[in-house]
Amino acid sequence: MTTKPTEDDLFTVFTRADLGGDEKLDLMEFTMVLESLGLSWARHEVQDHFETADTNRDGFISYPELRTLLESRGLTGP
Ligand SMILES: [Ca+2]
């Protein structure tokens, strides 16, 4: 994916990476989302962003948390 993902794209990527089907991502699933979006972050950056994105500190990234993270970094499309 070379362009910024739209909200639909993002939801598709989220759902595809959510192997557990529990509508939240663990660190491995979060890494898969980043790869799907063509973001090549170093492992420590992924870890940092995971912790930043997990605003309710439950150890998982929900879809709203993922969207907030990407929006805050200007990584989503219109
Ligand atoms: Ca969370």
Side-chain angles (χ1 to χ4, degrees):
M1 200 178 291
T2 52
T3 54
K4 291 180 179 182
T6 63
E7 177 147 355
D8 279 355
D9 291 336
L10 197 56
F11 192 69
T12 302
V13 166
F14 179 93
T15 305
R16 213 175 281 159
D18 178 24
L19 300 179
D22 51 7
E23 298 182 353
K24 53 192 186 179
L25 306 176
D26 61 23
L27 184 58
M28 192 196 82
E29 292 168 343
F30 179 64
T31 305
M32 287 172 54
V33 165
L34 300 180
E35 284 173 2
S36 298
L37 296 174
L39 299 171
S40 50
W41 290 345
R43 184 180 294 219
H44 72 274
E45 289 178 302
V46 172
Q47 181 82 43
D48 280 357
H49 282 101
F50 186 89
E51 287 169 14
T52 305
D54 182 18
T55 48
N56 69 352
R57 314 298 279 166
D58 66 351
F60 296 96
I61 304 301
S62 64
Y63 180 66
E65 286 172 340
L66 177 69
R67 224 182 56 197
T68 302
L69 172 74
L70 296 177
E71 279 174 359
S72 73
R73 298 185 58 85
L75 292 171
T76 51

